[in-house]
Amino acid sequence: MSVTVAQAIQQVRALIDEPTPQFWTNQQIQSYMNQGCADFARRTRTLRNEQQVPVVANTQNYTIPGNLLSVYRVEFVPTSTGQVFIYPLEFLGYNEMDQAWGVYQTFPAAWPQQYTLWGNPPTLSIRLFPVPDQAGVLNVFGYRQSVDTVGPNDTMDVLTGYEEAIY
């Protein structure tokens, strides 16, 4: 069940025994709940998301969308062949990539086979190896940050069934 901001504020007010704003304003409670949603998303990594990153031929490094907290799967889909091939990429840590690329990090090939990550959100970057020599798309699967609510009819961005965690 999705909970709106207005419903969530009503629940919080029932918990703190303040049916009408006296000590805390509705905006303060909403701000605390937005912080709770963000904290819940960071700690539990439950808000799954798939985003596409366009791949340019002969380009090795890409910035992951800023709302992703972490990445757990990457696929390469070439767009120049006219056929639908999906190549799952193997994750290797940056040091482990030395076993794959040796001394030639920019080796070109038809499609990448491994990827590594560098940096931290919101500027997390992905490095492909071998460097794809054709255009395509990276399907990036990860855990996203929650989206802050603005209005009273907005839905709280927390996993269904865990709304009480943000109250």
Side-chain angles (χ1 to χ4, degrees), residues 99-118:
Q99 297 170 12
W101 60 39
V103 295
Y104 194 29
Q105 294 185 18
T106 58
F107 183 78
W111 63 86
Q113 295 176 340
Q114 291 96 9
Y115 74 97
T116 192
L117 300 169
W118 187 258

Side-chain angles (χ1 to χ4, degrees), residues 47-64:
L47 298 179
R48 292 184 174 200
N49 191 282
E50 177 190 353
Q51 296 195 23
Q52 293 187 330
V53 176
V55 172
V56 178
N58 302 313
T59 303
Q60 186 173 31
N61 298 313
Y62 297 91
T63 301
I64 300 299

Side-chain angles (χ1 to χ4, degrees), residues 53-101:
V53 176
V55 172
V56 178
N58 302 313
T59 303
Q60 186 173 31
N61 298 313
Y62 297 91
T63 301
I64 300 299
N67 67 333
L68 288 182
L69 297 170
S70 66
V71 174
Y72 67 87
R73 180 180 174 90
V74 176
E75 301 169 340
F76 176 73
V77 182
T79 54
S80 60
T81 61
Q83 297 177 343
V84 183
F85 293 114
I86 299 175
Y87 299 97
L89 305 183
E90 176 187 18
F91 172 77
L92 293 175
Y94 211 87
N95 283 333
E96 289 77 22
M97 286 296 284
D98 288 338
Q99 297 170 12
W101 60 39

Side-chain angles (χ1 to χ4, degrees), residues 84-167:
V84 183
F85 293 114
I86 299 175
Y87 299 97
L89 305 183
E90 176 187 18
F91 172 77
L92 293 175
Y94 211 87
N95 283 333
E96 289 77 22
M97 286 296 284
D98 288 338
Q99 297 170 12
W101 60 39
V103 295
Y104 194 29
Q105 294 185 18
T106 58
F107 183 78
W111 63 86
Q113 295 176 340
Q114 291 96 9
Y115 74 97
T116 192
L117 300 169
W118 187 258
N120 296 300
T123 57
L124 183 62
S125 65
I126 187 168
R127 185 172 194 142
L128 304 175
F129 181 78
V131 180
D133 68 359
Q134 60 183 311
V137 172
L138 291 177
N139 293 327
V140 180
F141 298 84
Y143 300 107
R144 68 172 175 82
Q145 183 59 274
S146 64
V147 177
D148 284 351
T149 58
V150 179
N153 294 324
D154 290 352
T155 302
M156 299 303 299
D157 195 12
V158 68
L159 213 56
T160 301
Y162 290 89
E163 295 87 357
E164 289 183 2
I166 61 164
Y167 300 162

